[in-house]
Amino acid sequence: MAIKLGLIGVGRIGKTHLRNISLFVPELEIKTVADPFANEQTVAYAAQFGIKNVTKNADDIFNDPEIEAVAICSSTDTHAEYIVKAARAGKHCFCEKPIATDIAVIKNALAEVKKAGIKLQVGFVRRADHNHKAVYDMVKSGKVGKPHIIKITSRDPEPPPIAYVKVSGGIFYDMAIHDFDMARFLAGDEVEEVFAAGAVLVDPAIGEAGDVDTAVVTLKFKGGTIAVIDNSRRAVYGYDQRVEVFGDKGVAMNSNDIPNTATFADANGTVGGTAYQVMWTRYEQAFVSEMKAFAKAIVNDEEPPVTGEDGLYPVLMAAAATKSCKEGRPVKISEVDV
Amino acid sequence: MAIKLGLIGVGRIGKTHLRNISLFVPELEIKTVADPFANEQTVAYAAQFGIKNVTKNADDIFNDPEIEAVAICSSTDTHAEYIVKAARAGKHCFCEKPIATDIAVIKNALAEVKKAGIKLQVGFVRRADHNHKAVYDMVKSGKVGKPHIIKITSRDPEPPPIAYVKVSGGIFYDMAIHDFDMARFLAGDEVEEVFAAGAVLVDPAIGEAGDVDTAVVTLKFKGGTIAVIDNSRRAVYGYDQRVEVFGDKGVAMNSNDIPNTATFADANGTVGGTAYQVMWTRYEQAFVSEMKAFAKAIVNDEEPPVTGEDGLYPVLMAAAATKSCKEGRPVKISEVDV
Amino acid sequence: MAIKLGLIGVGRIGKTHLRNISLFVPELEIKTVADPFANEQTVAYAAQFGIKNVTKNADDIFNDPEIEAVAICSSTDTHAEYIVKAARAGKHCFCEKPIATDIAVIKNALAEVKKAGIKLQVGFVRRADHNHKAVYDMVKSGKVGKPHIIKITSRDPEPPPIAYVKVSGGIFYDMAIHDFDMARFLAGDEVEEVFAAGAVLVDPAIGEAGDVDTAVVTLKFKGGTIAVIDNSRRAVYGYDQRVEVFGDKGVAMNSNDIPNTATFADANGTVGGTAYQVMWTRYEQAFVSEMKAFAKAIVNDEEPPVTGEDGLYPVLMAAAATKSCKEGRPVKISEVDV
Amino acid sequence: MAIKLGLIGVGRIGKTHLRNISLFVPELEIKTVADPFANEQTVAYAAQFGIKNVTKNADDIFNDPEIEAVAICSSTDTHAEYIVKAARAGKHCFCEKPIATDIAVIKNALAEVKKAGIKLQVGFVRRADHNHKAVYDMVKSGKVGKPHIIKITSRDPEPPPIAYVKVSGGIFYDMAIHDFDMARFLAGDEVEEVFAAGAVLVDPAIGEAGDVDTAVVTLKFKGGTIAVIDNSRRAVYGYDQRVEVFGDKGVAMNSNDIPNTATFADANGTVGGTAYQVMWTRYEQAFVSEMKAFAKAIVNDEEPPVTGEDGLYPVLMAAAATKSCKEGRPVKISEVDV
C-alpha cells in the first residue's frame, strides 16, 4: 500500500514534484493537492495524474488522518509554518529549500520536528545529481583522502526578476545556498568562517536592489579544509555546475553536464554542444531521485539523505556570507548563529 | 482523446514499451495486452500501469474495432504475420526490428501495408538516441557537406546465449542490423556493395554455431560514400556506441555515452567512469522518443521516422554481409535482393 | 666521440633531419651533406648548424672512410640504390620510407644489408609519436589482451600536387603506407589479406590521374585480428591521426593531437582549438625521437626500432591494396609477394 | 650578427636558459657564463654548447663592452643588485622572478632601469605557455568580454625542502607569485585587495617553518573582476595548472596539460595518462618562447612581454597575501605598497 501524501504549493517546483511522484515513485500516492491559488488549471493538471482532491486550504491536508506525509512546495515564507503544522499533525515532511531565512524560525521548526519524531527532508536536490553524487561517492570511498581544497562553480543562465531579488534575501540565500550545502556535503565537515567577495557586474539594477550578481566565497572548515565557490547570475553559455575535491590521495572532479557528446570540427575548431539552458532539464533525474529517497526513508524508517540540520547550516552560511560581503571581512558562523 | 493501442508480446522489450507508453506518451492509451504466455505476473505488470485487458490471443486486438494501433513486440518470426494482420485490420503498426529475416516475407508485408494505407514504424531505436541524433542533425544541417567516410563502432558487453545465436540469423542479422540502419540514416543514401570480414575471437562456441563474433563491414554507397562498421560481441568495458561522419566540409562525431562526467586522478592516471553495461539504460531515453514519434506520426498523419522501407534495407545488407563473410568477397545488394 | 654521418638529400625532410641531428642528437655528427641540387642556400643552411662539407656527389659520402652512417633523404627512386651503396661501403643506414615501390628491388636491397651486416632503419616516424607510442605501450604491456579490432584514422589536410600523385604510386603507396606500418606495429602480427574500397570524392583530377582520394582498407591478420584504416586526402579541419586497439581485455585509443587544451564557450557551444595543419609540426617530436633511436641502435649495437623487414611489408600491403581497389576483391599478400 | 649575452648563475634554471638560447635563439649568442661556484662541470656544460668563457666573477660580464645583454639566473637575493649593475652598464636584462622580496629594493632597481633606458624582462614563464597563452588570446580578442571571475588552479607535485621554505618568503612568494602574475595578465587590471585563506594540511613541518601549504587567495581588481587562486604544495597526481576566465560574453578555460592523449578502458573505467611530474618538462616550450621574446624585444626595440612593473606587482600581492593569511582579514595593496 502506497503512503498517502499531501502536496502543498503547485507552482513550478510543485508541479515537478507532483508529476515525478505520480510517474516514478509508486511508494507515494498523492491524495490531496493544496494551493491558495488553485484554479481550473490546477485541477486539470492534477487530474492528468489521477489526483482528484484539489483544495485552497492546506489544513485539509494537515487534518486528514489518512495522509502520512506532506511535500511543502509553497513560497519560502510559509515553509517553517507548514513544517510545524506537519510535525504537530505527525506527518513526515519533504520541504523545499530554504526552510526559512530567519535562523530562530528554522531552529523552532526543527525543535518541533524533533519533538514530534517525524522525518524531515530538505530539497537540496543537487546531492542527488548524477555528476555531483559520483564525485561525492569518490570522496566517501576514501580514495580522495582528506579534502584539502574544494571548488564549486555554480552559474545560472539568467538573473531572476529584480522583484524576486528584492525579497529572496539575495544571491547567498537564493542561489549560493545550494553550493553551501554542496560544500558541507563534499567536505563532511562544518564551516567555521566565511569570506565573501561580491561585485555587481551583470546588471546595475541588481546592485540598486542591494544585492551582488557575481561572488567568490571562501569557506574555512573546522578540520582545515578550504572551499571556494564562484557564482554568477548570468553565464551566457548556460547552466554551469561543476565540483572538485582535492585531497591528499588524489582529486575527484566533474565537468559540466551537456545534453550530448556530439562534436563538429572544421577549420574554425572543434565545437561541442551547449550546456543545459534550464535548471529543470539539468536536474531532471535528480528531482526524481530525491523524491525516491524521501519515500525510501519513510518506508525503511531511516534518516532522510538531507536532514533538517542540513537545512539549517546553509542558511547560517548565507547569513555569514551576506554579512561578510557587506562588511568586507571574514565572518565566523558563530557571529550569525543566534 | 488518446489513441487506443494493443501491445503484442510482453517480454523485455514489450515491458519497456508498455511502461514508456503508459508514463510518457499520453497520446497513446494501451487498451489490451496480448501474449501467448501471459500469466499472473503479466496481469500484475499491466495493472500497475492501469491496463486491465490481458489476453493470450493477439486476435483480440486485431478484432477490436476501438483499437487504432498495435505495437508488435513479440518474437521476430511472428512480426511479418502480425504486420499483415494489422494492415488488413486497418491498424497503424509499430514493429520491433527486424520485420523478418526472409526478404520475400518482408516485401509481402510491406505490400500489404501499402495497400492498406496504414502507418508502419520499425523499431530502430538508435535513430532516436540523443548522441546519434545530434550527429545526424549536424549532417542534415549541411555543415558536414557530402559524407565521404562514415565510421560506426558498435560493441556489446556480452555475447547472447549460444541458443539465440543459432536462431537469430547471426551477428549481421541480430546485432549489426542496427548499424546498417544507422549507416543508411547518416549517409542519406543506399548501399550498393558490402564486404564483411569476420573472425571468431571471443568464443569458439560462436564459431561452432556457424557465426562470427568480431566483424568489420565495409559499405559502398551509390553516391560514393564509404562506411565502415566494426562489431564485437564482447567489450569488457561495456556498451560502446559511436558514430562519425566525415565530409568535405568537416567531421561530426560523438563519443561513447557514459553515466556521469566524474573523474578521479592520482599518480596512476586520470580515471573516468565505466560505460553503460546494459542496453536498456543506455538507450532509455531513445525508447521513449521513438514511441512519442510513433504517436506523433499517427496524430499528425505524417510518415513515421523509420518506415517499412527502412525495415527492409538493413535486412538486405545483413544478407549481403553474411554472404560476403562466408564467401570472402564483396557482395552487391542486387545479388541478395530477390 | 660522435659517430660521423653523411646526409643525402636536403629537401624538406632532409632539412628536418639535418636540424634535428645537429640540435638534439649529440651521438651523431653530420660531417657531409650531399644533394645533386646543392646550392648557396644549401651551404648556408648547413653552415648554420656548423656543417662545412656540402657536395653534389653522394659518393663523396660513401667513399669517406671516416663516415660510419648515412641518412638517406633523397627522392624515393634513389633509396634502394643508396642503401646498396651504404651496405657495400659498410655504413649504417637510416632511410626515409618507402625503400622502393618495386618489391624485388626492396628484397635485393635488404639482401645486401643482411650480407653487409649493417643496421638499417626505415623512417616510419609515427611509431615514435607520443600519442601512438602510448597506445602501443598499452598493447605491449598486455593490458589490452589479444587485439581483435584495430582502427586507424589517417587524414591529410590537403592533397599533394597532381604531378606527385602521378608518380608516387598513389594513395596506398604514398599515404596509407604509414598506416600499414602502424597496423603491423600495433597488431604484432602479419597481414594475410587486404580489401581496399576507394572513391574519388575530393578532387576529380585525382581520379583522372588513376588514383583514389578516399579509402577504407580492411586488413585480415594471420592471427585473426581485423584492422581497418580510413584515409582521406583532405580533412578541412587539419591533420587527423588516431588509432584504437580493441582486445579481449580492454580498449586502448588516442584522440587527435591538438596544439593546446583551451576552449571557449558561449551560447553557440564549446569550441576547442583546431588540429595541426602541417605534418612537420604534428610530428615534430617524433622526428627527433626516431633519430635518437637510430643513434642508440648504432651505439648499443642493437636492432633499430624499424627494420628493413618493416620497410618491406607495408609495400606489400600497398601493392595488395592497390590491386584490391582496382579489381574490387580482397587480395592476399601472397598474390603480390613475388 | 647575434647579440652577445652574459649569463649569470648556472644552476638548474641557468642551465635551461643556456641550453635553450644556444639551440633555439640564434639572435642571442652567449659569450660568457658567470657563477661563483663555476667548476669543471660548468665548463664542460658550457663547452657542449660552444661557450668558452666561464668565470666566477659576474663583473667580467658587466665590464665587457661587447656584451649587450645579461640573463640573471642566480639566487633571488642577488637579482636586484645585478639588475642595477646591468642598468649602470647599459645592458639589457632578463631576470628570473622574483626581482626581490623587498618592495623598496625592487622599486630602486626599476628606477635604475628606467634611468638607464635598458630593457628589463622578468621570467614569468607561464605567460608563454601554450595553454595559458591560448586562454589569454581568447580574452585579448574580446570574445570573453569583460572578465567577471578568474579561476587559477596551481598545484605542485611535491613541496620544496623545508630549508628552502624557510628562506623563500613562503608559498605566496615562491609559488603563488606565478599565479599573481597570471591573474594580472588575464584580468588586464590591477588588484586592489587580497584575502588569503591558508592551512597546513600537507606537512606539519611546513607549518613549523611558519608557512602554509594549502591556500585559496581571493583577489579584488579595481575594475570589479574577482579572481581566485587555489594552491597546494602537493598534488599526488602531478603538476596541475589550469586557468579560467569567465566574462559577460563567454568563458575561456584550459584543462591540465598531459603528455599524451591515449586512454585505456576496461571494466574499471577509462584511464588517461598522468599529468606532468616536473615543471621543466611541463613548461619546456614556454622557457624557449620567453627567451625568443626577449631577443625579439631587443632586436625590434620593443617593450618586453613581461616588464619590470610586471615584476613588482606580484610581489606586492605576495606581501598582501602573506599579511592577509596571518591576520585573517582582507588586505589592500596600498597597505603593503611602501
Side-chain angles (χ1 to χ4, degrees):
Chain A
M1 272 290 288
I3 295 155
K4 289 203 165 44
L5 179 137
L7 187 143
I8 303 172
V10 203
R12 195 150 189 187
I13 186 73
K15 281 203 178 70
T16 297
H17 287 311
L18 188 158
R19 176 182 176 278
N20 286 345
I21 294 170
S22 304
L23 296 187
F24 304 113
V25 192
E27 300 90 339
L28 300 178
E29 182 196 326
I30 303 178
K31 182 180 175 189
T32 307
V33 163
D35 195 309
F37 304 106
N39 56 18
E40 275 177 37
Q41 279 79 42
T42 317
V43 171
Y45 188 78
Q48 202 180 315
F49 298 97
I51 303 163
K52 284 167 207 140
N53 304 324
V54 175
T55 173
K56 293 197 175 189
N57 187 355
D59 286 334
D60 293 349
I61 286 172
F62 295 115
N63 295 333
D64 184 339
E66 216 184 38
I67 288 177
E68 284 181 67
V70 297
I72 304 173
C73 311
S74 48
S75 62
T76 297
D77 58 323
T78 65
H79 288 178
E81 177 198 340
Y82 286 144
I83 289 174
V84 172
K85 284 196 177 195
R88 293 187 179 169
K91 300 185 193 312
H92 299 303
C93 198
F94 174 92
C95 182
E96 268 307 314
K97 46 107 292 206
I99 295 176
T101 53
D102 185 294
I103 288 152
V105 168
I106 300 173
K107 290 194 168 176
N108 175 60
L110 298 191
E112 295 268 357
V113 164
K114 201 175 176 188
K115 200 169 77 183
I118 61 158
K119 291 179 196 312
L120 170 63
Q121 178 173 330
V122 179
F124 284 121
V125 66
R126 295 183 195 175
R127 291 195 182 199
D129 175 61
H130 59 303
N131 286 344
H132 292 353
K133 189 170 181 313
V135 168
Y136 171 79
D137 287 344
M138 287 168 174
V139 177
K140 191 76 181 171
S141 75
K143 60 202 294 191
V144 171
K146 179 188 164 61
H148 288 187
I149 297 170
I150 294 175
K151 286 166 59 186
I152 299 174
T153 287
S154 171
R155 300 169 191 158
D156 278 354
E158 281 296 334
I162 293 297
Y164 176 76
V165 169
K166 284 178 180 163
V167 300
S168 74
I171 193 169
F172 301 114
Y173 281 95
D174 75 37
M175 182 177 165
I177 198 144
H178 274 295
D179 310 308
F180 293 145
D181 178 64
M182 185 54 60
R184 289 179 67 243
F185 181 56
L186 294 172
D189 194 9
E190 292 306 339
V191 167
E192 199 161 48
E193 192 183 279
V194 176
F195 177 73
V200 180
L201 298 170
V202 171
D203 184 354
I206 292 173
E208 286 154 24
D211 200 9
V212 296
D213 51 37
T214 305
V216 170
V217 184
T218 305
L219 308 171
K220 286 191 192 173
F221 283 85
K222 287 180 178 167
T225 305
I226 308 173
V228 61
I229 296 163
D230 71 272
N231 292 124
S232 171
R233 289 285 198 185
R234 186 171 63 213
V236 294
Y237 53 93
Y239 220 56
D240 191 354
Q241 303 288 327
R242 290 171 274 154
V243 306
E244 174 174 342
V245 182
F246 169 80
D248 59 336
K249 293 192 186 160
V251 65
M253 67 174 88
N254 55 35
S255 57
N256 198 24
D257 211 30
I258 47 168
N260 64 66
T261 69
T263 59
F264 174 74
D266 63 11
N268 298 315
T270 300
V271 191
T274 48
Y276 285 100
Q277 299 303 312
V278 282
M279 196 255 284
W280 309 101
T281 320
R282 169 64 185 81
Y283 285 114
E284 195 170 31
Q285 153 278 335
F287 280 115
V288 174
S289 297
E290 70 169 353
M291 208 46 85
K292 284 188 174 167
F294 178 55
K296 184 165 165 284
I298 298 176
V299 171
N300 298 355
D301 194 16
E302 297 167 351
E303 192 171 48
V306 196
T307 66
E309 298 295 303
D310 293 330
L312 170 62
Y313 280 98
V315 179
L316 288 169
M317 292 158 79
T322 305
K323 194 175 179 69
S324 170
C325 192
K326 282 203 176 119
E327 303 182 6
R329 63 173 183 93
V331 171
K332 291 204 185 301
I333 292 295
S334 56
E335 291 185 57
V336 294
D337 189 5
V338 291
Chain B
M1 274 290 286
I3 296 155
K4 290 203 162 46
L5 178 137
L7 186 141
I8 303 172
V10 203
R12 194 148 189 188
I13 186 73
K15 280 204 179 69
T16 297
H17 287 311
L18 188 158
R19 175 180 177 279
N20 287 344
I21 293 170
S22 301
L23 297 187
F24 304 114
V25 193
E27 301 90 338
L28 300 178
E29 182 197 327
I30 303 179
K31 182 182 175 188
T32 306
V33 164
D35 194 310
F37 305 105
N39 56 19
E40 275 178 37
Q41 280 80 41
T42 319
V43 171
Y45 188 79
Q48 201 180 316
F49 298 97
I51 303 164
K52 285 166 209 141
N53 305 322
V54 175
T55 173
K56 293 196 175 190
N57 187 355
D59 286 335
D60 291 350
I61 286 172
F62 295 115
N63 295 333
D64 184 340
E66 216 184 38
I67 287 176
E68 283 181 68
V70 298
I72 303 172
C73 311
S74 49
S75 63
T76 297
D77 58 323
T78 64
H79 289 178
E81 178 198 339
Y82 285 144
I83 289 174
V84 172
K85 284 198 176 191
R88 291 185 182 170
K91 300 185 193 310
H92 299 302
C93 199
F94 174 91
C95 183
E96 268 308 313
K97 48 107 281 199
I99 296 176
T101 53
D102 185 292
I103 288 153
V105 167
I106 300 173
K107 289 192 169 177
N108 175 58
L110 297 191
E112 293 269 358
V113 164
K114 198 174 179 187
K115 201 169 79 182
I118 62 158
K119 290 180 198 311
L120 170 63
Q121 179 175 328
V122 179
F124 283 122
V125 66
R126 296 185 195 173
R127 291 195 183 201
D129 174 62
H130 58 303
N131 286 344
H132 291 353
K133 189 170 183 309
V135 168
Y136 171 79
D137 287 344
M138 287 167 173
V139 177
K140 190 76 180 175
S141 75
K143 57 202 296 191
V144 171
K146 179 189 165 62
H148 288 186
I149 297 169
I150 293 174
K151 285 166 59 186
I152 299 173
T153 287
S154 172
R155 299 168 191 159
D156 279 355
E158 282 296 335
I162 294 297
Y164 177 77
V165 169
K166 283 178 180 163
V167 302
S168 75
I171 194 170
F172 301 114
Y173 280 96
D174 75 38
M175 183 177 165
I177 197 145
H178 274 295
D179 310 308
F180 293 146
D181 178 64
M182 186 54 60
R184 291 179 66 244
F185 181 56
L186 294 172
D189 193 8
E190 292 307 337
V191 166
E192 200 161 47
E193 191 183 278
V194 176
F195 177 74
V200 180
L201 298 170
V202 171
D203 184 355
I206 293 174
E208 286 155 23
D211 200 8
V212 295
D213 52 36
T214 305
V216 170
V217 184
T218 306
L219 308 171
K220 287 190 192 173
F221 283 85
K222 288 181 176 164
T225 304
I226 308 173
V228 62
I229 296 162
D230 72 273
N231 291 124
S232 171
R233 289 285 197 185
R234 187 171 63 212
V236 294
Y237 53 93
Y239 220 56
D240 192 354
Q241 303 288 327
R242 289 171 275 153
V243 306
E244 175 174 341
V245 183
F246 168 80
D248 60 336
K249 292 191 187 162
V251 65
M253 68 174 87
N254 55 36
S255 56
N256 198 25
D257 211 28
I258 46 167
N260 64 66
T261 68
T263 59
F264 174 74
D266 63 12
N268 298 314
T270 300
V271 191
T274 48
Y276 285 100
Q277 298 303 314
V278 281
M279 197 254 286
W280 309 102
T281 319
R282 169 64 184 82
Y283 285 114
E284 194 170 32
Q285 153 280 334
F287 280 114
V288 174
S289 296
E290 72 169 352
M291 207 49 82
K292 283 189 175 167
F294 178 55
K296 183 164 166 284
I298 299 176
V299 171
N300 297 356
D301 194 16
E302 298 167 349
E303 192 171 47
V306 195
T307 66
E309 297 295 304
D310 293 329
L312 169 63
Y313 280 97
V315 179
L316 288 168
M317 291 158 79
T322 306
K323 195 176 179 66
S324 170
C325 191
K326 282 203 176 120
E327 302 182 5
R329 63 173 184 91
V331 170
K332 290 204 185 303
I333 291 294
S334 57
E335 291 186 55
V336 294
D337 188 6
V338 290
Chain C
M1 272 291 288
I3 297 155
K4 289 203 164 45
L5 179 137
L7 187 142
I8 304 173
V10 203
R12 194 148 189 187
I13 186 72
K15 281 204 177 71
T16 297
H17 287 310
L18 188 158
R19 176 182 177 280
N20 286 344
I21 294 170
S22 302
L23 297 187
F24 304 113
V25 193
E27 301 90 338
L28 300 178
E29 182 196 327
I30 303 178
K31 182 182 177 190
T32 305
V33 164
D35 194 309
F37 304 107
N39 55 19
E40 275 178 36
Q41 279 80 42
T42 318
V43 171
Y45 188 79
Q48 201 181 317
F49 297 97
I51 303 164
K52 284 167 207 141
N53 304 323
V54 175
T55 171
K56 293 197 175 190
N57 186 355
D59 286 334
D60 292 349
I61 285 171
F62 295 115
N63 295 333
D64 184 339
E66 215 183 40
I67 288 176
E68 283 182 67
V70 298
I72 304 173
C73 312
S74 49
S75 62
T76 297
D77 58 323
T78 65
H79 288 178
E81 176 197 341
Y82 286 144
I83 289 174
V84 172
K85 284 197 175 191
R88 291 186 181 170
K91 300 185 193 313
H92 300 304
C93 198
F94 174 91
C95 182
E96 268 308 313
K97 47 106 287 206
I99 296 175
T101 53
D102 185 294
I103 288 153
V105 168
I106 300 173
K107 289 192 169 177
N108 175 58
L110 297 191
E112 295 269 359
V113 164
K114 198 174 176 186
K115 202 169 78 182
I118 62 158
K119 291 181 196 310
L120 170 63
Q121 178 173 328
V122 178
F124 283 121
V125 66
R126 294 183 196 176
R127 291 195 182 200
D129 174 61
H130 59 303
N131 286 344
H132 291 354
K133 190 171 182 307
V135 169
Y136 171 78
D137 288 343
M138 286 168 175
V139 177
K140 190 77 180 172
S141 76
K143 59 202 295 191
V144 172
K146 179 188 164 64
H148 288 187
I149 297 170
I150 294 174
K151 286 167 59 185
I152 298 173
T153 287
S154 171
R155 300 168 190 158
D156 279 355
E158 281 295 334
I162 294 298
Y164 176 77
V165 169
K166 283 179 180 163
V167 301
S168 74
I171 192 169
F172 300 114
Y173 281 96
D174 74 37
M175 182 176 166
I177 198 146
H178 273 296
D179 310 309
F180 293 146
D181 178 64
M182 185 54 60
R184 289 180 67 244
F185 181 55
L186 294 172
D189 194 9
E190 293 305 340
V191 167
E192 199 162 49
E193 190 182 279
V194 176
F195 177 73
V200 180
L201 298 170
V202 171
D203 184 354
I206 292 173
E208 285 154 24
D211 199 8
V212 296
D213 50 37
T214 305
V216 170
V217 184
T218 305
L219 308 171
K220 286 191 193 173
F221 283 84
K222 287 179 178 168
T225 304
I226 308 173
V228 61
I229 296 162
D230 72 272
N231 292 123
S232 171
R233 289 286 199 186
R234 187 170 64 213
V236 294
Y237 52 94
Y239 220 56
D240 192 355
Q241 303 288 328
R242 288 170 276 155
V243 307
E244 175 175 342
V245 182
F246 168 80
D248 60 337
K249 293 192 187 161
V251 65
M253 67 174 88
N254 55 34
S255 57
N256 198 25
D257 211 29
I258 47 168
N260 64 65
T261 68
T263 58
F264 175 74
D266 64 10
N268 298 314
T270 300
V271 192
T274 48
Y276 285 101
Q277 299 303 313
V278 281
M279 197 254 285
W280 309 101
T281 319
R282 169 64 185 81
Y283 285 115
E284 194 170 31
Q285 153 278 335
F287 280 115
V288 173
S289 297
E290 71 168 354
M291 208 47 84
K292 284 188 173 166
F294 178 54
K296 183 165 166 284
I298 299 176
V299 170
N300 297 355
D301 194 16
E302 297 167 350
E303 191 171 48
V306 195
T307 66
E309 298 296 304
D310 292 330
L312 169 62
Y313 281 97
V315 179
L316 287 169
M317 291 158 79
T322 306
K323 195 176 179 67
S324 170
C325 192
K326 282 203 175 119
E327 302 182 6
R329 64 173 183 92
V331 170
K332 291 204 184 300
I333 292 295
S334 57
E335 290 186 56
V336 294
D337 189 6
V338 289
Chain D
M1 273 290 287
I3 296 155
K4 290 201 164 47
L5 179 137
L7 188 141
I8 304 172
V10 203
R12 193 148 189 190
I13 185 74
K15 280 204 178 69
T16 298
H17 286 312
L18 188 158
R19 175 181 177 280
N20 286 344
I21 294 170
S22 301
L23 297 186
F24 305 114
V25 192
E27 301 90 336
L28 300 178
E29 182 195 327
I30 302 179
K31 183 182 175 189
T32 306
V33 164
D35 194 310
F37 304 105
N39 55 18
E40 274 178 37
Q41 279 80 40
T42 318
V43 171
Y45 188 80
Q48 202 180 315
F49 298 97
I51 303 164
K52 284 168 208 140
N53 304 322
V54 175
T55 172
K56 294 198 174 189
N57 186 355
D59 286 336
D60 292 350
I61 286 171
F62 294 116
N63 295 334
D64 184 338
E66 215 183 41
I67 288 176
E68 282 182 69
V70 297
I72 303 172
C73 311
S74 48
S75 63
T76 297
D77 58 323
T78 65
H79 288 178
E81 177 198 340
Y82 286 144
I83 290 174
V84 172
K85 284 198 175 190
R88 291 184 182 171
K91 300 186 194 310
H92 299 303
C93 198
F94 174 92
C95 182
E96 268 308 314
K97 48 108 283 204
I99 295 176
T101 53
D102 185 294
I103 289 153
V105 167
I106 301 174
K107 289 194 168 175
N108 174 59
L110 298 192
E112 294 269 358
V113 165
K114 199 174 177 189
K115 201 169 79 183
I118 61 157
K119 290 180 197 310
L120 170 63
Q121 179 173 328
V122 179
F124 283 120
V125 66
R126 295 183 195 176
R127 292 195 183 201
D129 174 62
H130 58 304
N131 286 345
H132 291 353
K133 190 172 181 309
V135 168
Y136 171 79
D137 288 344
M138 286 168 175
V139 177
K140 190 76 181 172
S141 75
K143 60 202 295 193
V144 171
K146 178 188 166 62
H148 288 187
I149 297 170
I150 294 174
K151 285 167 58 188
I152 299 174
T153 287
S154 172
R155 300 169 191 158
D156 279 356
E158 282 295 335
I162 293 297
Y164 176 76
V165 168
K166 283 178 181 163
V167 301
S168 76
I171 193 169
F172 301 114
Y173 280 96
D174 75 37
M175 183 176 166
I177 197 145
H178 274 297
D179 309 308
F180 293 146
D181 178 64
M182 185 54 59
R184 290 180 66 244
F185 181 55
L186 294 173
D189 194 7
E190 292 306 340
V191 167
E192 199 162 48
E193 191 183 278
V194 176
F195 177 74
V200 180
L201 298 170
V202 170
D203 184 354
I206 293 173
E208 286 154 24
D211 199 9
V212 295
D213 52 37
T214 305
V216 169
V217 185
T218 305
L219 308 171
K220 286 190 193 173
F221 283 85
K222 287 179 178 167
T225 304
I226 308 174
V228 61
I229 296 162
D230 71 272
N231 292 125
S232 171
R233 289 284 196 187
R234 186 169 65 213
V236 294
Y237 53 93
Y239 220 56
D240 191 355
Q241 302 289 327
R242 289 170 276 154
V243 306
E244 175 174 342
V245 183
F246 169 80
D248 60 335
K249 292 190 186 163
V251 64
M253 67 175 87
N254 54 35
S255 56
N256 198 24
D257 212 29
I258 47 168
N260 64 66
T261 68
T263 58
F264 174 74
D266 63 12
N268 298 314
T270 300
V271 192
T274 48
Y276 285 100
Q277 300 302 315
V278 282
M279 197 255 285
W280 310 102
T281 320
R282 168 64 184 84
Y283 285 114
E284 194 170 31
Q285 152 279 333
F287 281 115
V288 174
S289 297
E290 71 169 352
M291 208 47 84
K292 284 188 174 165
F294 178 54
K296 184 164 166 284
I298 299 175
V299 171
N300 297 356
D301 193 16
E302 295 167 352
E303 191 171 47
V306 195
T307 66
E309 298 295 304
D310 292 330
L312 169 63
Y313 281 97
V315 180
L316 288 168
M317 291 158 79
T322 306
K323 194 176 179 66
S324 170
C325 193
K326 283 202 177 123
E327 302 182 5
R329 64 174 183 89
V331 170
K332 291 204 184 301
I333 291 295
S334 56
E335 290 186 57
V336 293
D337 189 6
V338 290

